[in-house]
Coordinates of all heavy atoms in Angstrom, one line a residue:
G17 N 35.0 -25.6 -24.0 CA 33.8 -25.3 -23.3 C 32.6 -25.2 -24.2 O 32.7 -25.4 -25.4
K18 N 31.5 -24.8 -23.6 CA 30.3 -24.6 -24.4 C 29.4 -23.5 -23.8 O 29.5 -23.2 -22.6 CB 29.4 -25.9 -24.5 CG 28.8 -26.3 -23.2 CD 27.9 -27.5 -23.4 CE 27.3 -27.9 -22.0 NZ 26.3 -29.1 -22.2
I19 N 28.7 -22.8 -24.7 CA 27.9 -21.7 -24.2 C 26.6 -22.2 -23.5 O 25.9 -23.1 -24.1 CB 27.5 -20.7 -25.4 CG1 28.8 -20.0 -25.8 CG2 26.5 -19.7 -24.9 CD1 28.6 -19.1 -27.0
V20 N 26.3 -21.8 -22.3 CA 25.1 -22.2 -21.6 C 24.4 -20.9 -21.2 O 25.0 -19.9 -21.0 CB 25.4 -23.1 -20.4 CG1 26.1 -24.4 -20.9 CG2 26.2 -22.4 -19.4
I21 N 23.1 -21.0 -21.0 CA 22.3 -19.9 -20.5 C 22.2 -20.1 -18.9 O 21.6 -21.0 -18.4 CB 20.9 -19.9 -21.1 CG1 21.0 -19.9 -22.6 CG2 20.1 -18.7 -20.6 CD1 21.9 -18.8 -23.2
S22 N 22.9 -19.2 -18.2 CA 23.1 -19.5 -16.8 C 21.9 -19.5 -15.9 O 21.8 -20.2 -14.9 CB 24.1 -18.4 -16.2 OG 23.6 -17.1 -16.4
C23 N 20.8 -18.8 -16.4 CA 19.6 -18.8 -15.6 C 18.9 -20.2 -15.6 O 18.0 -20.5 -14.8 CB 18.6 -17.7 -16.0 SG 17.8 -17.9 -17.6
M24 N 19.3 -21.0 -16.6 CA 18.7 -22.3 -16.7 C 19.7 -23.4 -16.3 O 19.4 -24.6 -16.4 CB 18.3 -22.6 -18.2 CG 17.3 -21.6 -18.7 SD 15.7 -21.8 -17.9 CE 15.2 -23.4 -18.4
E25 N 20.8 -23.0 -15.7 CA 21.8 -24.0 -15.3 C 21.9 -24.1 -13.8 O 22.1 -23.1 -13.1 CB 23.2 -23.5 -15.9 CG 24.3 -24.6 -15.9 CD 24.0 -25.6 -17.0 OE1 23.2 -25.3 -17.9 OE2 24.7 -26.6 -17.0
E26 N 21.8 -25.3 -13.3 CA 21.9 -25.5 -11.8 C 23.3 -25.4 -11.3 O 24.3 -25.9 -12.0 CB 21.3 -26.8 -11.5 CG 21.2 -27.0 -10.0 CD 20.5 -28.3 -9.6 OE1 20.1 -29.1 -10.6 OE2 20.3 -28.6 -8.4
V27 N 23.5 -24.8 -10.2 CA 24.9 -24.7 -9.6 C 25.3 -26.0 -9.1 O 24.5 -26.7 -8.4 CB 24.9 -23.6 -8.5 CG1 26.2 -23.6 -7.8 CG2 24.5 -22.2 -9.0
K28 N 26.5 -26.4 -9.4 CA 27.1 -27.7 -9.0 C 28.5 -27.5 -8.4 O 29.2 -26.6 -8.8 CB 27.1 -28.7 -10.1 CG 25.8 -29.0 -10.7 CD 25.9 -29.9 -12.0 CE 24.5 -30.1 -12.6 NZ 24.6 -30.8 -13.9
D29 N 28.9 -28.4 -7.5 CA 30.3 -28.3 -7.0 C 31.3 -28.5 -8.2 O 31.1 -29.3 -9.1 CB 30.5 -29.5 -6.0 CG 29.8 -29.2 -4.7 OD1 29.5 -28.0 -4.4 OD2 29.5 -30.1 -3.9
G30 N 32.3 -27.7 -8.1 CA 33.3 -27.8 -9.1 C 33.1 -27.2 -10.5 O 33.8 -27.4 -11.4
M31 N 32.0 -26.4 -10.6 CA 31.7 -25.8 -11.9 C 32.8 -24.9 -12.3 O 33.4 -24.2 -11.5 CB 30.4 -25.0 -11.8 CG 29.1 -25.8 -11.8 SD 27.6 -24.8 -11.9 CE 27.5 -24.5 -13.6
R32 N 33.1 -24.8 -13.6 CA 34.1 -23.9 -14.1 C 33.4 -23.0 -15.2 O 32.8 -23.6 -16.1 CB 35.2 -24.7 -14.7 CG 35.9 -25.6 -13.7 CD 37.0 -26.4 -14.4 NE 38.2 -25.6 -14.8 CZ 39.2 -25.3 -14.0 NH1 39.1 -25.7 -12.7 NH2 40.2 -24.6 -14.5
L33 N 33.4 -21.7 -15.0 CA 32.6 -20.8 -15.8 C 33.5 -19.6 -16.2 O 34.4 -19.2 -15.5 CB 31.4 -20.3 -15.1 CG 30.4 -21.3 -14.6 CD1 29.4 -20.7 -13.6 CD2 29.6 -21.9 -15.7
S34 N 33.2 -19.1 -17.4 CA 33.8 -17.8 -17.8 C 32.7 -16.9 -18.3 O 31.9 -17.3 -19.2 CB 34.8 -18.1 -18.9 OG 35.2 -16.8 -19.4
I35 N 32.7 -15.7 -17.7 CA 31.7 -14.7 -18.1 C 32.2 -13.9 -19.3 O 31.5 -13.6 -20.3 CB 31.3 -13.8 -17.0 CG1 30.6 -14.6 -15.8 CG2 30.4 -12.7 -17.4 CD1 30.4 -13.8 -14.6
E36 N 33.5 -13.6 -19.3 CA 34.1 -12.7 -20.2 C 34.7 -13.4 -21.4 O 35.4 -12.8 -22.2 CB 35.2 -11.8 -19.6 CG 34.6 -10.9 -18.5 CD 33.6 -9.9 -19.0 OE1 33.7 -9.5 -20.2 OE2 32.7 -9.5 -18.2
D37 N 34.5 -14.7 -21.5 CA 35.0 -15.4 -22.7 C 34.5 -14.7 -24.0 O 33.4 -14.3 -24.1 CB 34.4 -16.9 -22.7 CG 34.9 -17.7 -23.9 OD1 36.0 -18.3 -23.8 OD2 34.1 -17.7 -24.9
P38 N 35.5 -14.6 -25.0 CA 35.1 -13.8 -26.2 C 33.9 -14.4 -26.9 O 33.1 -13.6 -27.4 CB 36.4 -13.9 -27.0 CG 37.5 -14.1 -26.1 CD 36.9 -14.9 -24.9
E39 N 33.8 -15.7 -27.0 CA 32.6 -16.3 -27.7 C 31.3 -16.0 -26.9 O 30.3 -15.6 -27.6 CB 32.8 -17.8 -27.8 CG 33.7 -18.3 -28.9 CD 33.7 -19.8 -29.1 OE1 32.6 -20.4 -28.7 OE2 34.7 -20.3 -29.5
A40 N 31.3 -16.0 -25.6 CA 30.1 -15.7 -24.8 C 29.7 -14.2 -25.0 O 28.6 -13.9 -25.1 CB 30.3 -16.1 -23.3
S41 N 30.8 -13.4 -24.9 CA 30.5 -11.9 -25.1 C 29.9 -11.6 -26.5 O 29.0 -10.8 -26.6 CB 31.8 -11.2 -24.9 OG 32.3 -11.3 -23.6
E42 N 30.5 -12.3 -27.5 CA 30.0 -12.0 -28.9 C 28.6 -12.5 -29.0 O 27.8 -11.9 -29.7 CB 31.0 -12.7 -29.9 CG 30.6 -12.4 -31.3 CD 31.6 -13.1 -32.3 OE1 32.3 -14.0 -31.9 OE2 31.5 -12.8 -33.5
F43 N 28.3 -13.7 -28.4 CA 27.0 -14.3 -28.5 C 26.0 -13.3 -27.9 O 24.9 -13.0 -28.5 CB 27.0 -15.6 -27.7 CG 25.6 -16.2 -27.6 CD1 25.2 -17.1 -28.6 CD2 24.7 -16.0 -26.6 CE1 23.9 -17.7 -28.6 CE2 23.5 -16.6 -26.5 CZ 23.1 -17.4 -27.5
R44 N 26.3 -12.7 -26.7 CA 25.4 -11.8 -26.1 C 25.2 -10.6 -27.0 O 24.1 -10.0 -27.1 CB 25.9 -11.4 -24.7 CG 25.9 -12.5 -23.7 CD 26.1 -12.0 -22.2 NE 27.4 -11.4 -22.0 CZ 28.5 -12.0 -21.6 NH1 28.4 -13.3 -21.3 NH2 29.6 -11.3 -21.4
S45 N 26.2 -10.1 -27.6 CA 26.1 -8.9 -28.5 C 25.2 -9.2 -29.7 O 24.4 -8.3 -30.1 CB 27.5 -8.5 -28.9 OG 27.5 -7.4 -29.8
H46 N 25.3 -10.4 -30.2 CA 24.5 -10.7 -31.4 C 23.0 -10.8 -31.0 O 22.2 -10.4 -31.8 CB 24.9 -12.1 -32.0 CG 26.2 -12.0 -32.7 ND1 26.7 -10.9 -33.4 CD2 27.2 -13.0 -32.9 CE1 27.8 -11.1 -33.9 NE2 28.2 -12.4 -33.7
I47 N 22.8 -11.3 -29.8 CA 21.4 -11.3 -29.3 C 20.8 -9.9 -29.2 O 19.7 -9.6 -29.7 CB 21.3 -12.0 -27.9 CG1 21.7 -13.5 -28.1 CG2 19.9 -11.9 -27.4 CD1 20.8 -14.3 -29.0
I48 N 21.6 -9.0 -28.6 CA 21.1 -7.6 -28.6 C 20.9 -7.0 -30.0 O 19.9 -6.4 -30.2 CB 22.2 -6.7 -27.8 CG1 22.1 -7.0 -26.3 CG2 21.9 -5.3 -28.0 CD1 20.8 -6.6 -25.6
E49 N 21.8 -7.4 -30.9 CA 21.6 -6.8 -32.3 C 20.3 -7.4 -32.9 O 19.6 -6.6 -33.5 CB 22.8 -7.3 -33.1 CG 22.8 -6.7 -34.5 CD 24.0 -6.9 -35.3 OE1 24.7 -8.0 -35.1 OE2 24.3 -6.1 -36.2
S50 N 20.0 -8.6 -32.6 CA 18.7 -9.2 -33.2 C 17.5 -8.5 -32.5 O 16.5 -8.3 -33.2 CB 18.7 -10.7 -33.0 OG 18.6 -11.1 -31.7
L51 N 17.6 -8.2 -31.2 CA 16.5 -7.6 -30.5 C 16.3 -6.2 -31.1 O 15.2 -5.7 -31.1 CB 16.8 -7.5 -29.0 CG 16.8 -8.8 -28.2 CD1 17.2 -8.5 -26.7 CD2 15.4 -9.4 -28.2
M52 N 17.4 -5.5 -31.5 CA 17.3 -4.1 -32.0 C 16.8 -4.0 -33.4 O 16.7 -2.9 -33.9 CB 18.6 -3.5 -31.8 CG 19.1 -3.3 -30.4 SD 18.0 -2.2 -29.4 CE 18.4 -0.7 -30.2
T53 N 16.7 -5.2 -34.1 CA 16.3 -5.0 -35.6 C 15.0 -4.3 -35.7 O 14.8 -3.6 -36.7 CB 16.2 -6.4 -36.2 OG1 15.3 -7.2 -35.5 CG2 17.6 -7.1 -36.3
N54 N 14.0 -4.5 -34.9 CA 12.7 -3.8 -35.0 C 12.5 -2.7 -34.0 O 11.5 -2.1 -34.0 CB 11.6 -4.8 -34.9 CG 11.4 -5.6 -36.2 OD1 11.4 -5.0 -37.3 ND2 11.4 -6.9 -36.2
H55 N 13.4 -2.6 -33.0 CA 13.3 -1.6 -32.0 C 13.6 -0.2 -32.5 O 14.7 0.0 -33.1 CB 14.2 -1.9 -30.8 CG 14.0 -1.1 -29.6 ND1 13.0 -1.3 -28.7 CD2 14.6 0.1 -29.2 CE1 13.0 -0.4 -27.7 NE2 13.9 0.4 -28.0
P56 N 12.7 0.8 -32.3 CA 13.0 2.1 -32.9 C 14.1 2.8 -32.1 O 14.3 2.6 -30.9 CB 11.7 2.9 -32.6 CG 11.0 2.2 -31.5 CD 11.4 0.7 -31.6
H57 N 14.9 3.7 -32.8 CA 16.0 4.4 -32.1 C 15.4 5.7 -31.6 O 15.8 6.8 -32.1 CB 17.1 4.5 -33.1 CG 17.6 3.2 -33.7 ND1 18.2 3.1 -34.9 CD2 17.4 2.0 -33.2 CE1 18.5 1.8 -35.1 NE2 18.0 1.1 -34.1
D58 N 14.6 5.7 -30.6 CA 13.9 6.9 -30.2 C 14.2 7.2 -28.7 O 13.3 7.7 -28.0 CB 12.4 6.8 -30.4 CG 11.7 5.7 -29.6 OD1 12.4 4.8 -29.1 OD2 10.5 5.7 -29.5
C59 N 15.3 6.8 -28.2 CA 15.7 7.0 -26.8 C 15.5 8.5 -26.4 O 14.9 8.7 -25.3 CB 17.1 6.6 -26.5 SG 17.4 4.9 -26.9
P60 N 15.8 9.5 -27.2 CA 15.6 10.9 -26.7 C 14.1 11.2 -26.4 O 13.9 12.1 -25.6 CB 16.2 11.7 -27.8 CG 17.2 10.8 -28.5 CD 16.5 9.5 -28.4
T61 N 13.2 10.6 -27.1 CA 11.8 10.9 -26.9 C 11.1 9.8 -26.1 O 9.9 10.0 -25.9 CB 11.1 11.1 -28.3 OG1 11.2 9.9 -29.0 CG2 11.7 12.2 -29.1
C62 N 11.8 8.8 -25.7 CA 11.1 7.7 -25.0 C 11.1 8.0 -23.5 O 12.1 8.4 -22.9 CB 11.9 6.4 -25.3 SG 11.2 5.0 -24.4
D63 N 9.9 7.7 -22.9 CA 9.8 8.0 -21.4 C 10.8 7.1 -20.6 O 11.1 7.5 -19.5 CB 8.4 7.7 -21.0 CG 7.4 8.7 -21.4 OD1 7.8 9.6 -22.2 OD2 6.2 8.6 -21.1
E64 N 11.2 6.0 -21.2 CA 12.1 5.1 -20.5 C 13.5 5.5 -20.5 O 14.4 4.9 -19.9 CB 11.9 3.7 -21.0 CG 12.4 2.6 -20.1 CD 11.4 2.3 -19.0 OE1 10.4 2.9 -18.8 OE2 11.7 1.4 -18.2
G65 N 13.8 6.5 -21.4 CA 15.2 6.9 -21.6 C 15.9 7.2 -20.3 O 15.4 8.0 -19.5
G66 N 17.1 6.6 -20.1 CA 17.9 6.9 -18.9 C 17.7 5.9 -17.8 O 18.4 5.9 -16.8
E67 N 16.6 5.1 -17.9 CA 16.4 4.0 -16.9 C 15.9 2.7 -17.7 O 15.1 2.0 -17.1 CB 15.4 4.5 -15.9 CG 14.1 5.0 -16.4 CD 13.2 5.6 -15.3 OE1 13.3 5.1 -14.1 OE2 12.5 6.6 -15.5
C68 N 16.4 2.5 -18.9 CA 16.0 1.5 -19.7 C 17.0 0.3 -19.6 O 18.2 0.5 -19.8 CB 15.9 2.0 -21.2 SG 15.6 0.7 -22.4
H69 N 16.4 -0.9 -19.4 CA 17.3 -2.1 -19.3 C 17.9 -2.4 -20.6 O 19.0 -2.9 -20.7 CB 16.5 -3.2 -18.7 CG 17.3 -4.4 -18.3 ND1 18.5 -4.3 -17.7 CD2 17.1 -5.7 -18.5 CE1 19.0 -5.5 -17.5 NE2 18.2 -6.4 -17.9
L70 N 17.2 -2.2 -21.7 CA 17.7 -2.5 -23.0 C 18.9 -1.6 -23.3 O 19.9 -2.0 -23.9 CB 16.6 -2.3 -24.1 CG 17.0 -2.7 -25.5 CD1 17.5 -4.1 -25.6 CD2 15.8 -2.4 -26.5
Q71 N 18.8 -0.3 -22.9 CA 19.9 0.6 -23.1 C 21.1 0.1 -22.3 O 22.2 0.0 -22.8 CB 19.6 2.0 -22.5 CG 18.8 2.9 -23.4 CD 18.5 4.3 -22.8 OE1 18.6 4.4 -21.6 NE2 18.2 5.2 -23.7
D72 N 20.9 -0.3 -21.1 CA 22.0 -0.9 -20.3 C 22.7 -2.1 -21.0 O 23.9 -2.1 -21.1 CB 21.5 -1.4 -18.9 CG 21.1 -0.3 -18.0 OD1 21.5 0.9 -18.3 OD2 20.4 -0.5 -17.0
M73 N 21.9 -3.0 -21.5 CA 22.4 -4.2 -22.2 C 23.1 -3.8 -23.5 O 24.1 -4.4 -23.8 CB 21.3 -5.2 -22.4 CG 20.6 -5.8 -21.2 SD 21.7 -6.8 -20.3 CE 22.2 -5.7 -18.9
T74 N 22.6 -2.9 -24.2 CA 23.2 -2.4 -25.4 C 24.6 -1.9 -25.2 O 25.5 -2.2 -25.9 CB 22.3 -1.4 -26.2 OG1 21.0 -1.9 -26.3 CG2 22.9 -1.0 -27.5
V75 N 24.7 -1.0 -24.2 CA 26.0 -0.4 -23.9 C 27.0 -1.5 -23.3 O 28.1 -1.6 -23.7 CB 25.8 0.7 -22.8 CG1 27.2 1.2 -22.3 CG2 25.0 1.8 -23.4
M76 N 26.4 -2.4 -22.5 CA 27.3 -3.5 -21.9 C 27.9 -4.4 -22.9 O 29.0 -4.9 -22.8 CB 26.5 -4.3 -20.9 CG 26.3 -3.6 -19.5 SD 25.5 -4.8 -18.4 CE 25.1 -3.6 -17.1

Side-chain angles (χ1 to χ4, degrees):
K18 65 175 182 178
I19 291 176
V20 299
I21 306 306
S22 59
C23 71
M24 300 297 292
E25 197 74 14
E26 187 173 2
V27 176
K28 297 172 185 172
D29 286 338
M31 284 185 86
R32 301 175 71 83
L33 302 166
S34 171
I35 297 172
E36 298 299 332
D37 178 85
E39 280 189 27
S41 295
E42 187 180 10
F43 177 88
R44 295 194 295 267
S45 179
H46 286 331
I47 295 297
I48 285 293
E49 185 172 28
S50 67
L51 291 177
M52 295 296 292
T53 55
N54 282 309
H55 189 82
H57 306 155
D58 63 345
C59 300
T61 60
C62 176
D63 287 4
E64 197 76 1
E67 51 186 329
C68 171
H69 190 41
L70 183 60
Q71 278 182 340
D72 289 345
M73 294 294 101
T74 305
V75 173
M76 280 185 191

